[in-house]
Amino acid sequence: MINDIHRLDTEIRLRPATGSDAASLAAALTRSRTYMSAWEPRRPDAFYTEQGQRERLAGLLADREAGRVMPWVLADEEDRAVGGFTLDAIVLGSFRSASLGYWVDVECAGRGLATTAVRLICDLARDELGLHRVQAGTLLDNVASQRVLAKCGFEEFALAPRYMHINGDWRDHRLFQRILHDGPVTGAPSGT
């Protein structure tokens, strides 16, 4: 189920984000700040603090209650957040689509966790939310993320010039999508 805890390997689980994740998210993001800087927007120093993450989580959790977002964290054996995954811009009705974003702590990168989590999230998006498609974008040179998406059945469908402001500049992105099913609308209510 979408609100369950899902074991990804012997140490890491994917679970819904909670307000109590602020401190460990701040620590993981601070630890990974240099590693992720080429692929992330420039953020104020306050973003990397516990208070900054508490405020960000409050917004995400309010949007989750409204059905617009589904945020998860990767949690280690001590239940500390070591990554984040978000289905965002969830649209139901006849579109039934969402955008996927994710990051993994530098200390956990390269273990296949992103691939396992993305596959699981796509299954949950189809089976629990009734979505038809999930979209994701990467910078042109983010080959690692493109490999994750390819392994999970995503196909490139567009090149988006100056798509997002990343690391201080408007950057081109490759856009990918995964069609989850072509059947009738199922799952969550069919609002707009």
Side-chain angles (χ1 to χ4, degrees), residues 2-189:
I2 204 153
N3 289 315
D4 288 350
I5 296 170
H6 303 274
R7 185 163 292 287
L8 301 186
D9 72 9
T10 58
E11 300 170 357
I12 304 295
R13 299 173 329 277
L14 181 75
R15 63 165 175 74
T18 69
S20 63
D21 292 317
S24 60
L25 280 169
L29 286 163
T30 298
R31 197 168 39 248
S32 302
R33 188 174 186 174
T34 300
Y35 168 72
M36 295 190 315
S37 66
W39 306 295
E40 289 285 312
R42 288 192 182 153
R43 302 187 194 276
D45 289 340
F47 177 84
Y48 297 92
T49 66
E50 183 175 349
Q51 181 60 33
Q53 289 305 300
R54 187 174 293 113
E55 291 168 6
R56 185 178 75 88
L57 283 166
L60 285 171
L61 298 177
D63 284 345
R64 179 173 66 196
E65 290 301 312
R68 293 185 293 264
V69 171
M70 184 60 208
W72 290 273
V73 295
L74 290 182
D76 66 13
E77 62 276 0
E78 289 154 19
D79 205 34
R80 293 176 301 203
V82 293
F85 291 74
T86 305
L87 275 180
D88 182 331
I90 296 172
V91 178
L92 298 178
S94 59
F95 191 46
R96 306 197 79 75
S97 184
S99 293
L100 174 67
Y102 56 90
W103 63 276
V104 175
D105 187 318
V106 65
E107 292 183 355
C108 296
R111 292 174 40 187
L113 296 169
T115 300
T116 303
V118 168
R119 281 185 184 132
L120 175 60
I121 288 168
C122 285
D123 289 347
L124 293 170
R126 179 192 62 228
D127 299 341
E128 301 293 323
L129 298 176
L131 297 184
H132 166 69
R133 116 187 227 289
V134 173
Q135 173 179 315
T138 73
L139 288 168
L140 301 183
D141 58 351
N142 190 345
V143 177
S145 193
Q146 292 165 15
R147 274 195 304 261
V148 167
L149 295 171
K151 288 177 189 175
C152 295
F154 283 74
E155 298 176 299
E156 185 175 345
F157 72 93
L159 177 66
R162 297 176 304 284
Y163 183 71
M164 200 177 239
H165 202 263
I166 300 291
N167 196 19
D169 203 5
W170 289 102
R171 305 283 303 277
D172 299 348
H173 278 63
R174 295 185 192 285
L175 301 182
F176 297 83
Q177 69 177 359
R178 178 173 165 192
I179 303 300
L180 304 174
H181 71 86
D182 283 325
V185 172
T186 61

